Structure formats: C-alpha cells, structure tokens
Amino acid sequence: MRDLMVLGALLVFIPFSLSNVFGAYLLWGWTGLIALNSYLYGFMVPVPFVQLFALLTLATLLWHKDIEKRKFEPNRTTTLFAIFVVHGFFCAIFAYPNLLSNWMIYGNLSKTVLFCVLMPILATSRFRIHSIVVMISLAVGFHGVLDGLKFLASGGAHKAAGIGKFGDNNHYAIVLAMVIPLLYYLYQYSSGRLARWGFAAAILLNVLAIVATGSRGGLVGLTAISLWIIVKSRRRWLGIFAISVCALLIVQLAPDTWSQRMQTIKTADEDTSFMSRVTAWKVSSAIALANPVLGGGFRVVQSHSVWDQFKSSPGLLGFVETPVLSRSGVAAHSIWFEVMGDMGFVGLFIFIAMIINAFMTGREIRALAERGGTSWRWASDLSDLLAAIMFVYAVSGSLLSVAYFELPYVVMMLLEVIKLQLRTALNLSPVKKSLRLNHV
C-alpha cells in the first residue's frame, strides 16, 4: 500500500518537475534528506528517487525558462566548495588501496556540492529561501516526529535508532538537533496559527526523539542549541520559554537509564567508549602526518590494514594514554580528525575555512539586514539560527564522523544565498530588475 501511494505521488511529481525547475530542485533535496527508500518495502525500494529528481532538475534547468533564475556568479562559499571537492578528487585517486567507501563517499560529497552550487541560481526570493527551509524541516523533522510520537506512546521506553542513511543513534541525534533551529524559525515566521502550533509540536517531538536515542552527543547538541538561542536570539524570552518546556518534558518522560547515561559525561576520561574515540583520533592524525597533503582517502581509518599500520603511532595526541583496542578499522569519531585522516592537513584547512566562512557570512547578513530595516529582520533571525546549526555541528560533530553529511553544506550555502538576496535588494551588486526588492 505504501509503495502504491509513493508511485501515485511520483506520477504527479514528475510532470510537476518538468514544468517547474525550482519544484524539481526542492524534490531533489527532500528525497535525499528524508531517505524515502528507507520507508518502502515493496517494488518501489530500488527506485533512485534522488538521482531521478537531480536529473530532472538539471534537464529542466537547461530547457525550461525560469524568470526568477539568477545568472551564476562565483562567491566565497562556492569557491571554497569547489576547492574542497577538487582536493577531495585527488585524495580519492591517491588513496590507500582497498578502501571500500572511498569513491562512494566522494561521489556523495560531489552530489552535495552540486546541489549547493545550484542554490544561488534558483533561490532568488524570500519565498524560495523559505521553501528550502520548509523542505529541510519536513524532510529531517519527519524522522524525529515519528520517533517522538513512539517515545510518547511507549511512556519513554522507545529506543530511537534512526535509519541507515544517518548511521547509528549518535549520528541520528545530531541530525535531529541540527533541524530544531529551523523548526524554531518556522514557528516564529509562519503566518497561520495551525502551522505555528504544528512546528512547535515538531520541536517538542524532535527533542523527545533525541532523548529516545540515548545519545550523550544528542544532549550536548541540545545544550549547544539552548545556549545559542539564549545568547543570540532576538526573541530571547520566547526561546527561554521553549527551552524550559522541553526540559520539563525531558524530566517527566526520560527513563532513569537515560539520566544515568547522561551523567557519565562528567567522567569522560574514565569512559572506555570515549577513550576509544581518542585512540581513533591518534590513528587519524598519524595517517595525516604520513600523508599531510592528500591524506589517506575517504574512510581510511576504517581500513583494517591501514589501522594496523598506524595503530601504535602517537600521532598528534601522544601525550594522552589510550587503551589498545582489540578491534581494528573503527570510525574516526570526529569531523576534524575524519577530514584530517581522509584529506590531510590541506583538506582540514579548507574544511575549517568553510565553517569559519559560514559564521562570517552570518555576521555580514546581520549587518546588511540592519541597513535594510525591519523588513529584513527575517533574514537576520534566519541567519542566526542557521549559525546555531553550524555551532551544533561543530560542537557535537567533534565526537562523531559526520564530516560529509549534506545538511551542514546546505546550511552554509543557504547563508550565502540570504546574503546575496540582501545585496541584490540593497542594490549592492548588478542584478536584473525582476530580482529586485519587489520580488522578495
């Protein structure tokens, strides 16, 4: 039945995509983030939804006239993305042999960058920017809503494991944490009361889903969001109220086992799980020291042969005593060490530059929004919450291997698009008349 419903929807979406470039683009992003195949069990499982709508977007972009389409102009973010993906290509070519995920990870990264590079061309108005925010929220938030409802229905007994696309419960928790700022933005700026309450409910359910994962990284992510909203949000008291409601729900519904596990954060240096992460960081940094320019290739630290080669090397963390792991080929457990081992110090430098650039872009948006007056307050608020996502990603990602997950890259480019829209409206760059303020 579920497969038939998706087939019926597909028969509607394909003609729609052929007549609307931006609609095809949204479906490309939505099918990727929601991982539609994970919810199917029949004849529709093999259908490559993401590739289908990606091809429809590219084909429609070539022959369909979009009056709102903007001419491509390189910017700071697209330049950094291009350098990163080109460097990654050479890292993949000169990788250690027999890396099972090497070209798969690079291929996914390339597709993510392609999606992001098209964003400034197609997201040319406030409506379209808002649509992308809604698309991300509906795609990622959907998973959290399902697990949040299961957590409520089970009285706190449900264990949220996520789907294969997101990895284990820890990866799933950080993904849900990153979507909460967008749900908060939509709660503030949706005009309909029903929509606002719907997004408020989605926030609460996603918080409960994070609790259901039992992930300590998820708690760190929620704490990071709370601190950012309290410090940065213009509507601070609304944020404090929302945080208080979520905290009350957690206290009432979280099982004792969750509370006991969260308390182990205080004794991380005594935790075998955490110290095994440090061991993985040692190996990753040792690989980078041996291959400083190109690293060892994507997911190199998960290679048993490479791990065995570097397992006794102190790397950059030789001053930390770590246990000798009985297994080999484990995850990097950190976005920083993951990129360091995979792409060398050069790749790490580019990666850090992209993240710093995101925060710089957010600051530029706030300055431009002040020049534009109250009509651009939405842009300032959205940029603050997008920066919150990057903050959560940088903090929680320090303990997880999520360096190539697409959402942070989409957020970085979305910040650039908002800045471009502001510059366009304020006549700070040459644009077509059809893209001026009356189209915002």
Side-chain angles (χ1 to χ4, degrees):
M1 184 64 180
R2 191 178 298 179
D3 291 70
L4 290 173
M5 291 175 61
V6 172
L7 176 62
L10 199 62
L11 295 176
V12 175
F13 289 153
I14 289 177
F16 170 72
S17 299
L18 291 172
S19 62
N20 189 304
V21 183
F22 186 67
Y25 182 75
L26 289 176
L27 286 167
W28 175 6
W30 179 77
T31 52
L33 288 171
I34 200 170
L36 196 57
N37 304 79
S38 301
Y39 293 95
L40 302 175
Y41 301 98
F43 65 95
M44 293 296 288
V45 172
V47 177
F49 295 101
V50 180
Q51 292 87 337
L52 172 63
F53 287 108
L55 290 173
L56 286 173
T57 301
L58 295 172
T60 312
L61 190 63
L62 291 176
W63 81 64
H64 184 73
K65 185 176 181 181
D66 185 351
I67 60 171
E68 293 193 49
K69 184 173 69 175
R70 181 187 285 117
K71 182 180 178 182
F72 175 75
E73 295 179 1
N75 54 60
R76 201 167 62 209
T77 304
T78 55
T79 301
L80 285 170
F81 277 21
I83 294 172
F84 190 62
V85 79
V86 169
H87 180 75
F89 176 71
F90 289 103
C91 294
I93 287 179
F94 294 101
Y96 283 96
N98 302 319
L99 300 187
L100 299 179
S101 302
N102 183 45
W103 285 106
M104 182 193 72
I105 297 297
Y106 177 73
N108 291 338
L109 175 64
S110 302
K111 294 170 189 175
T112 297
V113 170
L114 176 60
F115 179 84
C116 293
V117 168
L118 292 178
M119 195 183 299
I121 299 174
L122 296 172
T124 55
S125 66
R126 179 182 177 182
F127 172 78
R128 291 192 170 190
I129 292 171
H130 189 88
S131 298
I132 292 175
V133 173
V134 172
M135 177 271 290
I136 296 170
S137 301
L138 293 180
V140 180
F142 172 78
H143 308 288
V145 167
L146 283 184
D147 278 311
L149 289 172
K150 291 176 183 178
F151 185 78
L152 279 175
S154 65
H158 173 65
K159 303 295 183 184
I163 58 175
K165 175 185 175 63
F166 297 146
D168 63 16
N169 63 316
N170 296 300
H171 296 78
Y172 183 43
I174 188 177
V175 172
L176 296 181
M178 284 192 287
V179 81
I180 288 175
L182 293 183
L183 293 170
Y184 182 62
Y185 168 80
L186 291 172
Y187 167 73
Q188 293 184 73
Y189 280 92
S190 295
S191 57
R193 179 180 298 179
L194 184 60
R196 286 201 304 273
W197 283 110
F199 287 121
I203 292 172
L204 295 176
L205 290 172
N206 272 263
V207 169
L208 293 179
I210 292 172
V211 174
T213 64
S215 169
R216 291 171 292 186
L219 178 62
V220 172
L222 288 175
T223 303
I225 293 170
S226 302
L227 290 174
W228 188 274
I229 290 175
I230 291 172
V231 173
K232 291 286 187 178
S233 177
R234 183 174 53 82
R235 303 176 70 178
R236 189 168 302 166
W237 289 108
L238 177 62
I240 292 173
F241 174 75
I243 292 167
S244 301
V245 171
C246 292
L248 182 62
L249 272 176
I250 292 173
V251 169
Q252 293 295 320
L253 295 174
D256 294 337
T257 52
W258 182 85
S259 303
Q260 293 167 4
R261 180 165 174 77
M262 296 307 109
Q263 288 174 2
T264 61
I265 294 176
K266 301 175 183 178
T267 56
D269 58 337
E270 301 173 6
D271 183 22
T272 304
S273 175
F274 176 80
M275 295 311 294
S276 66
R277 283 172 160 81
V278 181
T279 302
W281 300 347
K282 279 186 176 182
V283 174
S284 295
S285 61
I287 295 170
L289 287 170
N291 307 272
V293 178
L294 296 177
F298 293 95
R299 294 275 172 88
V300 63
V301 76
Q302 295 187 22
S303 167
H304 297 285
S305 59
V306 178
W307 177 279
D308 292 338
Q309 181 181 342
F310 290 96
K311 64 181 180 181
S312 300
S313 302
L316 298 175
L317 300 173
F319 56 91
V320 181
E321 292 187 13
T322 54
V324 177
L325 300 184
S326 58
R327 64 190 187 282
S328 62
V330 303
H333 292 301
S334 168
I335 56 175
W336 318 110
F337 287 96
E338 182 180 11
V339 175
M340 184 190 299
D342 292 357
M343 304 177 69
F345 293 108
V346 174
L348 177 63
F349 173 79
I350 302 168
F351 183 71
I352 292 173
M354 291 192 300
I355 293 178
I356 292 175
N357 173 67
F359 290 106
M360 290 174 57
T361 304
R363 186 173 62 180
E364 291 168 351
I365 290 170
R366 288 190 294 274
L368 289 169
E370 289 179 3
R371 292 180 58 179
T374 56
S375 61
W376 286 97
R377 186 172 290 167
W378 68 270
S380 179
D381 288 346
L382 180 55
S383 70
D384 281 340
L385 292 170
L386 291 173
I389 295 175
M390 294 308 302
F391 181 65
V392 172
Y393 178 65
V395 172
S396 296
S398 296
L399 298 174
L400 294 172
S401 305
V402 287
Y404 313 113
F405 180 59
E406 58 258 54
L407 184 54
Y409 296 86
V410 173
V411 168
M412 291 184 230
M413 189 56 72
L414 192 54
L415 282 163
E416 187 68 46
V417 166
I418 296 170
K419 184 180 76 172
L420 181 58
Q421 186 66 19
L422 270 163
R423 292 181 62 86
T424 297
L426 298 173
N427 294 315
L428 297 178
S429 61
V431 293
K432 296 179 181 180
K433 291 181 180 179
S434 61
L435 297 180
R436 298 204 177 198
L437 188 57
N438 60 321
H439 278 268
V440 176

